[in-house]
Amino acid sequence: MRPGYLFVLSAPSGTGKSTLIDRAIREIPGIWHSVSATTRKPRKYEEEGVHYYFMERAEFEKTITEVHFLEWAEVHGQYYGTPSEEVDRRLTGGEDVIMDLDVQGALQVKKHRPDAVMIFIMPPSLEVLRKRIEDRRTETEESLRRRLSIAEKEMGHRDQYEHVIVNDVLDDAYVELASVIQSSRGSADEAGS
Ligand code: ADP
Ligand code: 5GP
C-alpha cells in the first residue's frame, strides 16, 4: 500500500481556508484533516478535538519539550502546533492528510517532508479579506488589525508554494483545490505503476 499524500494549505486568516478544507473533507473520500493544538480561545462554533485541541500555554510548552509536535509556531501571539502521532498513523495507513498551517509551520514541514504538496490560498484583495473577517464576527478590532498586518507578510511567501489559488468565487476556488488534490493522487499512482 502506498503511504498517504500530505497536503499543506496556508492562507492569511479569513481567506476561506477552513471553508475550502471543510468542503474537501466532505466531498473527497480518503482524506483527513489534521487537528491542531492551540492556546487561543475557542470561537463559539468550535469544538474540542474537532476544530482544535485547546490548551493552556504551560501544557503546550510541555508538549513542545516532549517532541510531540510535527511542527509548531507562534501566530498572532498564540501557539499552534500539529500533534504528530495521528498524522503519521493516517499516512502510514494510506490515508491522505490535509494540514492547515501558517507559513512558518508550512516551511518546517516542507523541510522534513519534501514530497508534501504545498498550496497557498490568496484573498482577492486586502479589502475583501478585512470584510470577510469582519463578517465572521470572531475578532476584536485589535486582533483584526493584527491579522491584516500579518496577512501582507504571509502573502509575500506565496512563491514558496507549488500551487497558488485565489479564493474569489468560492466554487471556482474549490474546483481548483479539488483538482490539485486529484492530480497529485493521479501522478503518485502513475509513478507507482
Ligand atoms: P480562514 O479559515 O481562512 O480563517 P474562513 O473559512 O473562516 O477563513 O472564512 C472566513 C469568512 O469568509 C467566513 O465567514 C466564510 O464563510 C467567508 N468566505 C470564505 N470564502 C468565501 C468566498 N469565496 N466568498 C465570500 N465569502 C467567503
Ligand atoms: P485561526 O486562529 O484563524 O484558526 O488560525 C490562525 C493561523 O494559525 C492560520 O494561519 C492557521 O493556518 C494557523 N494554524 C492553524 N493550525 C496550525 C498548526 O498546527 N501549526 C501552525 N504552524 N499553524 C497553524
Side-chain angles (χ1 to χ4, degrees):
M1 185 200 286
R2 74 157 176 88
Y5 244 62
L6 185 55
F7 297 96
V8 174
L9 259 77
S10 300
S13 175
T15 301
K17 185 171 25 101
S18 311
T19 308
L20 288 164
I21 292 177
D22 287 350
R23 184 160 165 196
I25 300 304
R26 279 199 311 274
E27 296 187 12
I28 305 174
I31 193 158
W32 176 75
H33 180 205
S34 127
V35 182
S36 299
T38 184
T39 56
R40 88 149 160 72
K41 296 283 168 265
R43 294 175 184 147
K44 280 200 190 89
Y45 55 87
E46 287 179 329
E47 289 174 46
E48 167 72 19
V50 176
H51 297 92
Y52 282 106
Y53 298 109
F54 295 97
M55 288 184 177
E56 296 300 325
R57 288 184 82 86
E59 187 186 358
F60 195 102
E61 283 164 359
K62 185 164 174 280
T63 313
I64 295 171
T65 59
E66 291 169 350
V67 207
H68 288 162
F69 287 128
L70 182 61
E71 61 68 43
W72 66 272
E74 196 159 1
V75 192
H76 313 138
Q78 301 291 340
Y79 286 131
Y80 292 82
T82 308
S84 50
E85 197 184 328
E86 189 163 9
V87 171
D88 288 337
R89 190 164 54 72
R90 300 258 183 179
L91 289 171
T92 310
E95 207 169 343
D96 292 342
V97 172
I98 196 161
M99 298 201 319
D100 155 3
L101 304 179
D102 87 306
V103 170
Q104 308 165 73
L107 298 179
Q108 287 178 51
V109 170
K110 185 70 185 166
K111 217 191 287 168
H112 300 301
R113 314 224 172 170
D115 54 348
V117 179
M118 307 282 290
I119 305 166
F120 195 91
I121 316 281
M122 292 273 292
S125 66
L126 283 174
E127 293 71 49
V128 171
L129 183 63
R130 166 181 270 278
K131 173 106 187 22
R132 283 187 192 164
I133 303 177
E134 279 172 352
D135 289 351
R136 195 172 62 184
R137 296 175 192 280
T138 54
E139 310 307 317
T140 60
E141 186 54 35
E142 191 208 332
S143 164
L144 173 69
R145 261 204 305 274
R146 191 173 193 161
R147 281 167 190 258
L148 286 173
S149 85
I150 292 171
E152 289 196 76
K153 293 195 194 107
E154 289 180 321
M155 287 193 274
H157 287 279
R158 65 180 179 276
D159 292 351
Q160 287 164 278
Y161 291 71
E162 292 160 74
H163 303 278
V164 178
I165 298 173
V166 179
N167 180 20
D168 184 357
V169 177
L170 185 60
D171 282 346
D172 294 350
Y174 177 72
V175 167
E176 269 192 72
L177 174 63
S179 127
V180 167
I181 293 171
Q182 301 295 11
S183 64
S184 303
R185 286 173 162 180
S187 62
D189 292 344
E190 277 162 31
S193 62

